[in-house]
Amino acid sequence: MFLSVFDVFKIGIGPSSSHTMGPMTAANRFLALILSDDWPRPAGAAVAQLKVSLHGSLAFTGIGHGTGRAVILGLTGERPDLVDPDAMDAIIETVEKAGTVTPPGHPSYLFRPAEDLVFDKKNPLPGHANGMTFSAFDNQGRLLIKRIYYSVGGGFVVTDTELEAIKQRGKTIDNGPRVPYPFGTAREMLEMAARSGRTIAQMKRANEETVVSREELNERLDQIWEAMNGCIERGLKVDGIMPGGLKVRRRARSIYEKLNAEWRSNRLNPVMANDWLSVYAMAVNEENAAGGRVVTAPTNGAAGVVPATVRYFRHFHEDATVDDVRDFLLTAAAIGGIIKHNASISGAEVGCQGEVGSAAAMAAAGLAAVMGGSPEQVENAAEIALEHHLGMTCDPIAGLVQVPCIERNALGAVKAVTAASLALKGDGQHFVPLDACIETMRQTGNDMSEKYKETSTGGLAVNVVEC
């Protein structure tokens, strides 16, 4: 099993990897399909109009998550990793006024968002909670192409046939190349580490270097951290009200200024470490909620946990090096890949235990690794962090990735550091294996009511009177 570190950590935009980045990517794929020979093109037929329908969780919380906006941007040819957040409003306004999209390399297609983009809450698609249908018609209204796509978490997108093939094979989305350490479970990871004498980061690096050179790997890892850290920095400098209608105020900047004042005064604050962790995580997720540039870690909704923990490590460990950050990300990606392979990182599939819970496990593992933990201690750290997120629902108020999501990332980072600390004080032997915890998360997600899985039809989403 091989899932690249750059599949786990993807640079994109907020507020959601599954509801924003995924639909934009699906639109990109559909545009590519139109230009390809992978559909039976009738003689003389040409695509003239596009229509899109969103289903399941995408329909219920798509407005709050910016799903419709993402589809429009994707149909203009914009990509999650390249789109300019400051230009998005103008692009969408142009499409809404013109009633057409003109992606690069294509003619103009009729696409009137008010009519051709449907939020279908009545008809879920069978493959996954995050389903969408893209259709193309000729100028006579005849259907030429129809494709179903599923956004399965973390920005990953598959067609219905690809999803069925994955389920039949029992494999991940990207089986990738043959690698020296093809661990698909935590147990396999520990066995390979014991036989090879390598750390988890070293094994993950060896796997990645079957695809890219060491220089390119290091450069791209540094780019991921620069994007994460840049998101923290932006979030610490901006205040005001976040979009969406809840009138939730940004708090990271004011908290950061208070912490800096305390830091300069040398006043004793017994919870200072937790405060720094929290403000870093909140800065990221406030940026995400505002539609800014973020990195999936492993999702947008949980994007603050890993960056906050890395920044915390660099803040309180003056001897931290660039290589430490790289090893942190490699270790975290190894754990994230195992979780995705055997359960899910999608809030629409298993609730927030799959998002913030997975992020906390990844961050705990990364921190334990760079603080000198053995592979067994790293696996223990990940298990502790994930275990204490089991059963967590995904119930965003008004379908916005704001409440409880922003604070939840702060608490996820605190749990990650605590889990790493507990694991490092042991010898790596523990009662619940990480694999058992991951399987428990999968089963719990399967049993969880749909109203608690990113539909905003239960939990906090319906129990806050003002909303």
Side-chain angles (χ1 to χ4, degrees):
M1 192 278 292
F2 176 74
L3 191 68
S4 173
V5 61
F6 305 112
D7 289 324
V8 177
F9 298 120
K10 294 190 287 291
I11 298 173
I13 58 166
S16 172
S17 51
S18 59
H19 287 57
T20 312
M21 290 173 59
M24 193 183 301
T25 298
N28 295 160
R29 289 193 62 176
F30 191 65
L31 290 176
L33 175 63
I34 291 173
L35 294 182
S36 75
D37 295 323
D38 295 336
W39 55 283
R41 189 188 304 267
V47 172
Q49 181 177 7
L50 306 178
K51 293 186 178 183
V52 181
S53 60
L54 304 171
H55 303 263
S57 177
L58 295 182
F60 279 100
T61 61
I63 293 177
H65 285 66
T67 306
R69 290 167 54 86
V71 169
I72 296 169
L73 291 166
L75 290 179
T76 66
E78 296 290 348
R79 289 172 39 185
D81 58 332
L82 297 177
V83 63
D84 179 0
D86 294 329
M88 293 190 300
D89 287 345
I91 295 171
I92 291 168
E93 183 179 0
T94 297
V95 173
E96 290 176 338
K97 286 182 177 179
T100 60
V101 290
T102 311
H106 294 253
S108 290
Y109 301 127
L110 181 65
F111 182 73
R112 301 153 300 180
E115 301 174 33
D116 297 328
L117 178 58
V118 177
F119 291 79
D120 186 348
K121 298 180 180 180
K122 296 182 178 180
N123 301 294
L125 298 178
H128 190 276
N130 293 334
M132 56 200 127
T133 300
F134 286 73
S135 303
F137 301 83
D138 66 12
N139 58 12
Q140 301 298 314
R142 293 175 297 188
L143 178 65
L144 298 178
I145 319 171
K146 181 178 180 180
R147 286 291 185 276
I148 293 174
Y149 297 96
Y150 293 108
S151 182
V152 295
F156 290 92
V157 172
V158 293
T159 65
D160 52 349
T161 53
E162 289 168 347
L163 182 62
E164 183 58 30
I166 291 165
K167 291 178 178 179
Q168 290 296 324
R169 293 194 308 267
K171 298 179 180 178
T172 55
I173 293 170
D174 182 5
N175 297 307
R178 294 180 64 85
V179 295
Y181 303 102
F183 51 84
T185 66
R187 179 178 179 179
E188 291 173 352
M189 178 182 70
L190 293 179
E191 290 173 347
M192 291 179 191
R195 288 198 300 268
S196 67
R198 293 192 171 197
T199 66
I200 294 168
Q202 288 169 341
M203 292 191 298
K204 184 64 175 168
R205 175 176 285 277
N207 288 348
E208 297 289 338
E209 289 178 359
T210 63
V211 180
V212 298
S213 67
R214 172 157 296 214
E215 292 74 18
E216 183 179 351
L217 176 61
N218 287 340
E219 181 181 349
R220 293 180 66 187
L221 287 171
D222 294 345
Q223 289 172 351
I224 292 296
W225 169 240
E226 288 169 8
M228 288 178 169
N229 196 46
C231 187
I232 293 175
E233 288 297 323
R234 290 192 305 276
L236 294 176
K237 294 175 182 176
V238 182
D239 55 19
I241 303 296
M242 285 178 288
L246 288 183
K247 299 182 180 180
V248 175
R249 182 174 295 277
R250 286 183 183 243
R251 291 180 287 162
R253 178 178 175 175
S254 63
I255 295 173
Y256 179 64
E257 290 172 348
K258 291 175 183 176
L259 289 176
N260 265 329
E262 288 184 1
W263 187 265
R264 290 191 295 268
S265 70
N266 291 319
R267 290 200 305 270
L268 178 64
N269 178 352
V271 294
M272 180 174 284
N274 280 358
D275 288 344
W276 283 108
L277 268 171
S278 297
V279 76
Y280 293 148
M282 291 172 66
V284 171
N285 284 85
E286 286 177 359
E287 274 296 293
N288 178 64
R293 178 76 64 211
V294 296
V295 179
T296 62
T299 66
N300 282 31
V305 178
V306 168
T309 309
V310 176
R311 180 76 175 254
Y312 158 88
F313 172 70
R314 288 168 59 88
H315 188 147
F316 288 98
H317 294 76
E318 294 182 353
D319 57 346
T321 66
V322 172
D323 285 333
D324 286 332
V325 175
R326 294 166 180 166
D327 286 346
F328 191 116
L329 295 177
L330 288 166
T331 304
I335 298 301
I338 290 171
I339 294 173
K340 181 169 179 56
H341 179 60
N342 295 290
S344 175
I345 58 171
S346 168
E349 203 166 16
V350 296
C352 201
Q353 59 177 351
E355 295 205 29
V356 172
S358 296
M362 293 163 60
L367 183 60
V370 297
M371 292 185 67
S374 67
E376 290 77 15
Q377 289 172 316
V378 170
E379 183 261 0
N380 187 15
E383 186 279 325
I384 294 171
L386 182 59
E387 179 181 330
H388 298 290
H389 284 88
L390 290 177
M392 182 173 281
T393 59
C394 183
D395 49 354
I397 294 175
L400 298 168
V401 194
Q402 297 179 15
V403 183
C405 319
I406 294 170
E407 288 180 354
R408 188 167 284 177
N409 275 257
L411 273 293
V414 170
K415 286 185 181 181
V417 172
T418 303
S421 179
L422 287 172
L424 290 170
K425 289 176 173 60
D427 60 4
Q429 302 301 309
H430 56 105
F431 193 78
V432 179
L434 176 58
D435 289 328
C437 193
I438 293 171
E439 172 59 16
T440 301
M441 184 182 78
R442 187 191 68 79
Q443 293 177 6
T444 303
N446 285 344
D447 293 340
M448 189 180 291
S449 169
E450 292 298 319
K451 67 182 181 179
Y452 299 121
K453 293 195 283 190
E454 211 166 358
T455 59
S456 291
T457 56
L460 284 176
V462 299
N463 285 301
V464 178
V465 176
E466 293 81 2
C467 300

